[in-house]
Amino acid sequence: MAISKDLYPSQEDLLYEEEILRNPFSLKLWWRYLIAKAESPFKKRFIIYERALKALPGSYKLWYAYLRERLDIVRNLPVTHPQYDSLNNTFERALVTMHKMPRIWVMYLQTLTVQQLITRTRRTFDRALCALPVTQHDRIWEPYLVFVSQEGIPIETSLRVYRRYLMYDPTHIEDFIEFLVKSARWQEAAERLASVLNDDKFYSIKGKTKHTLWTELCELLVHHANVISGLNVDAIIRGGIRKFKNDVGMLWTSLADYYIRKNLLEKARDIYEEGMMTVVTVSDFSVIFDVYSRFEESTVAKKMEMMSSSDEEDEIEENGVEEDYDDVRLNFSLSVKELQRKILNGFWLNDDNDVDLRLARLEELMNRRPALANSVLLRQNPHNVEQWHRRVKIFEGNPAKQILTYTEAVRTVDPMKAVGKPHTLWVAFAKLYENHKDLVNTRVILDKAVQVNYKNVDHLASVWCEWAEMELRHKNFKGALELMRRATAVPTVEVRRRVAADGNEPVQMKLHRSLRLWSFYVDLEESLGTLESTKAVYEKIMDLRIATPQIILNYAFLLEENKYFEDAFKVYERGVNIFKYPHVKDIWVTYLTKFVKRYGKTKLERARELFEHAVSKAPSDAVRTLYLQYAKLEEDYGLAKRAMNVYEEATKKVPDVQKFEMYEIYISRAAEIFGVPKTREIYEQAIESGLPHKDVKLMCIKFAEVERSLGEIDRARTVYKYASQFADPRSDPEFWNKWHEFEVQHGNEDTYREMLRIKRSVTASYSQTHFILPENMMQKDKMVDVEEAKDELKKAGLPEDQMAALERQLMAPTSTTDASKDGGRRVGFVSAGVISQSGENEGKPVTGNGEDIELPEESDDDESDGEDRVEIAQKEVPAAVFGGLSRKREEDGKEAAEGGEKLGALERLKKQKLAQ
């Protein structure tokens, strides 16, 4: 074969060729030659590769590069191209020396897989597995499984390959099961899945849980029930029901579906019924019931469809032309099935028309749903009393079923574990017989009910009471009383000793101390018995120490109705000795009310002793009512002075929150009895009694109003002054408005200034800030006083022009020549010495004797006056505001001018006081 000249070495290749001739076994030279010819046609490179591999047949690098280039050439060619055969031959030649190289095998196997040469590919995979060590088999099995999973590969071939693979790596059995499911090999898939579930050491590499695998197995067994055999499907699914509690409903329906697919419909119904009777959750029950109802509906529909098609066939046969045979058995043209149908036609045992039966079965199933659902709840807790009552209500109208339900309920429910009141089952059971006029069985049921060991005494007492009420409804009054006597009888010593020996005391031993039973008994005695028998029952109650305040009151009322007043009061006495506060409060109030109403002033001293005893025992929060009753007694039948003493004592004993109200009552009663002047002492006592500040302020306001009504203006003003310390002008303007109105009506310039001074002092004290005001703040204070004076001038009706003139007069600075010694001192300024008044040493401080202290005649008044001089700025107020007072002011001013000084309002008051 001639070789093209293009394939011969060129002039540029001579250098590489010479080196190769000198050293043909050097991989480096061959590789350098191939890199240099990278841009040459492949045929030329093909010759170089072949020459290199002939010299170096064991070079993996050359073989790998050569095969990669051969693969790139055939990549876009069809698999039938001759180049693929050449490629396969190259791979075979490479594997002669590269049979231990897994990458070469993988490249070859992938190429064969693309060519779809099934047999050759399978055999090559087998050769690779034989040639490579076991540690490298995983690189071959991965493409091998991909190959056998392709379409067109015989199933048997794939199965055998997968089985061989599981021998190599059993952990991938899930892949095999999925392959079996895809290949519709249901039998082997179910067997493999069952073996996996039976293997406790199995670990899913896909993260599937036992529950998931079990669900897959159930679906496999159920959906292919007619194909899979050899497995106990019933046992497998029941095992899942016992193990997996969350999917019980689904597993029961799966088992029933399995039998339906096996055409065992009656067995499927049994499975549905068993499932509904064993599940313990409503959700599982709903799943089973819904599937069961759909199953019954589908069977009815299918049967109706079959019946309609059968009728059509019969009509066709009747309309057809057939030979008339006297005996159908002589018609040899009929098949066995047709012959059987004609012979058995008309027999009721062979009647296939059971549609009515199926419909009745479906209707019965729907009617049973409430009872079945209730059974589920009772299986959750068979001691749930409410659910038993609901079950009885379901069978309303069917007394037989109700009796059976009650019988089962009282046998099942344990009173110690019951949820609810178990005695209501016995009572309702007895009422069922009573409603049907069977009193004998009613008494039998109630007699058994009172012998049950209940958890609570009240339950047993309720049964006795219901029994007695039943006897009363049927006019058996003596029987009801006898029942109560039986129920309240105290157990004998022998019975107690026997119970103590057993160590488990039943509830019947505590019944004689049941207050509910005794209350019912005493009501029966009051209605049906005599007074003596009723009193005996009350006495037993009190002897057992189970009486309540209401029992005491009822006993006393009973005696009062029968004119046994002293006995009733003795009962009250026993009651107040038995009980403590707060329970005894009603007894005391009723006792005292009844006693006062009965005896009035005839036994006044005894009533006083009772009241004294009552208030001495009562706590402070309950004493108010008793004191009011006590005071009312003294007002009606005793002495007014004693009533006042009672009120006074009450104000000391009641809680702080009730003191103000109590003082108001005290004051109103004192005013009504002794007159308003008598209330002054009470007001003063109330103010000094330690009331809260808010109540003290209100009490002072009331006191001031009283004093004003009596004409005591100065006393009222003093009260306002005292109350001012409890009223912050910023948060309580109402108090200051009242004082303002008071001063406007009854005061003068000085009293009004005093009110303003106190108001500022209180404001400063509430602000909790103490400082000496500077001169500029004094000016501001003066501006405030001017504004207040302007408001007063407006109220007096002064014209605007005169108001402006007065305002200028008030704002004018005081002359230094007219300033007095006190007036010249600035408010808030403390001098280090005495300022000289002479002309020569004017403005120079003169050292004063620190021991020379002038004390005023009345230290308290002077001290307050000194404070006034410091805090109050002197203002000029126009005479029009004060009317007749202006002349007196002018006279005082002339006297001050003659004396060489100008006196203020406070100085004038002091001077008048000294003159007197």
Side-chain angles (χ1 to χ4, degrees), residues 421-694:
K421 299 178 180 179
H423 71 280
T424 56
L425 291 172
W426 288 99
V427 173
F429 195 7
K431 285 185 178 180
L432 179 63
Y433 279 107
E434 183 187 357
N435 294 335
H436 288 82
K437 311 300 181 183
D438 190 353
L439 298 182
V440 176
N441 282 326
T442 302
R443 293 188 177 96
V444 171
I445 296 298
L446 290 172
D447 186 54
K448 291 182 179 179
V450 297
Q451 299 175 17
V452 177
N453 186 17
Y454 297 99
K455 188 176 181 180
N456 196 339
V457 179
D458 285 343
H459 295 171
L460 181 58
S462 299
V463 177
W464 280 104
C465 293
E466 291 289 343
W467 194 353
E469 287 180 359
M470 187 273 294
E471 298 293 350
L472 292 176
R473 285 195 293 270
H474 295 280
K475 310 301 181 182
N476 186 8
F477 305 120
K478 292 184 179 179
L481 288 173
E482 184 62 30
L483 282 174
M484 289 295 100
R485 294 190 185 99
R486 279 178 54 193
T488 56
V490 181
T492 62
V493 178
E494 183 181 355
V495 174
R496 291 181 180 177
R497 187 183 301 112
R498 191 183 310 118
V499 170
D502 295 340
N504 186 14
E505 184 180 11
V507 74
Q508 281 77 8
M509 300 300 296
K510 307 174 184 176
L511 181 64
H512 67 283
R513 296 183 61 84
S514 173
L515 179 61
R516 179 174 184 177
L517 198 63
W518 281 104
S519 299
F520 188 81
Y521 185 18
V522 78
D523 289 342
L524 283 183
E525 287 291 351
E526 286 187 20
S527 303
L528 306 174
T530 62
L531 177 62
E532 295 301 325
S533 63
T534 307
K535 289 173 63 178
V537 174
Y538 274 117
E539 290 297 332
K540 288 182 180 179
I541 294 175
M542 299 186 74
D543 291 340
L544 290 172
R545 296 181 179 274
I546 59 174
T548 62
Q550 189 60 47
I551 295 289
I552 300 295
L553 295 176
N554 293 341
Y555 189 13
F557 290 158
L558 174 67
L559 295 173
E560 289 173 10
E561 289 176 358
N562 292 276
K563 310 302 181 183
Y564 291 90
F565 296 104
E566 283 299 328
D567 292 340
F569 295 147
K570 290 179 181 178
V571 172
Y572 284 126
E573 288 287 347
R574 294 173 67 181
V576 297
N577 291 328
I578 292 173
F579 298 102
K580 304 297 180 183
Y581 272 93
H583 309 292
V584 76
K585 180 180 178 181
D586 293 335
I587 300 178
W588 269 119
V589 173
T590 308
Y591 181 20
L592 296 172
T593 304
K594 296 286 187 180
F595 189 88
V596 172
K597 182 179 178 182
R598 171 68 181 167
Y599 294 111
K601 63 181 180 179
T602 58
K603 294 186 178 182
L604 185 59
E605 290 301 325
R606 182 180 172 186
R608 285 171 177 169
E609 291 179 0
L610 287 176
F611 275 108
E612 291 292 341
H613 183 61
V615 297
S616 65
K617 297 292 184 181
S620 60
D621 57 346
V623 78
R624 176 178 176 274
T625 304
L626 298 176
Y627 271 115
L628 292 178
Q629 283 185 289
Y630 191 8
K632 186 71 166 58
L633 171 70
E634 294 293 349
E635 290 179 14
D636 294 342
Y637 306 109
L639 301 175
K641 185 177 181 180
R642 292 183 64 92
M644 293 299 103
N645 293 335
V646 171
Y647 281 121
E648 183 178 357
E649 186 179 355
T651 57
K652 298 176 182 178
K653 294 292 184 66
V654 295
D656 293 340
V657 294
Q658 297 179 359
K659 279 187 177 181
F660 182 77
E661 183 182 359
M662 199 69 219
Y663 270 113
E664 286 186 326
I665 298 173
Y666 184 14
I667 291 168
S668 64
R669 301 307 301 161
E672 183 177 347
I673 296 172
F674 295 104
V676 177
K678 178 67 175 177
T679 61
R680 284 175 173 169
E681 301 175 3
I682 306 174
Y683 275 116
E684 293 175 359
Q685 179 184 349
I687 293 172
E688 297 174 356
S689 64
L691 289 173
H693 291 173
K694 181 180 178 181

Side-chain angles (χ1 to χ4, degrees), residues 380-400:
Q380 292 178 359
N381 184 9
H383 307 290
N384 192 329
V385 177
E386 180 62 26
Q387 293 301 329
W388 282 109
H389 283 298
R390 292 181 183 179
R391 186 171 184 82
V392 172
K393 192 174 182 181
I394 291 172
F395 299 121
E396 191 172 358
N398 190 348

Side-chain angles (χ1 to χ4, degrees), residues 729-793:
R730 293 168 296 183
S731 60
D732 192 6
E734 183 179 356
F735 170 80
W736 296 97
N737 291 337
K738 287 182 179 293
W739 194 2
H740 176 270
E741 294 174 0
F742 173 80
E743 293 295 346
V744 170
Q745 295 178 7
H746 305 286
N748 53 31
E749 174 191 3
D750 299 331
T751 58
Y752 189 80
R753 285 184 177 182
E754 181 70 9
M755 182 196 72
L756 295 179
R757 181 193 69 79
I758 294 174
K759 184 175 182 180
R760 287 194 297 273
S761 300
V762 172
T763 303
S765 64
Y766 272 99
S767 66
Q768 298 182 357
T769 304
H770 303 283
F771 54 87
I772 299 175
L773 293 176
E775 186 175 359
N776 58 346
M777 293 301 294
M778 264 308 297
Q779 186 69 19
K780 181 178 179 181
D781 191 20
K782 189 174 182 179
M783 290 293 295
V784 173
D785 292 340
V786 170
E787 293 297 329
E788 293 178 356
K790 287 174 64 177
D791 294 338
E792 293 298 327
L793 291 173

Side-chain angles (χ1 to χ4, degrees), residues 409-429:
V410 297
R411 288 178 180 175
T412 304
V413 175
D414 185 357
M416 298 300 173
K417 302 178 182 178
V419 178
K421 299 178 180 179
H423 71 280
T424 56
L425 291 172
W426 288 99
V427 173
F429 195 7

Side-chain angles (χ1 to χ4, degrees), residues 92 176 311 408 451 758 905:
E92 290 292 343
F176 183 36
D311 293 341
E408 184 182 1
Q451 299 175 17
I758 294 174

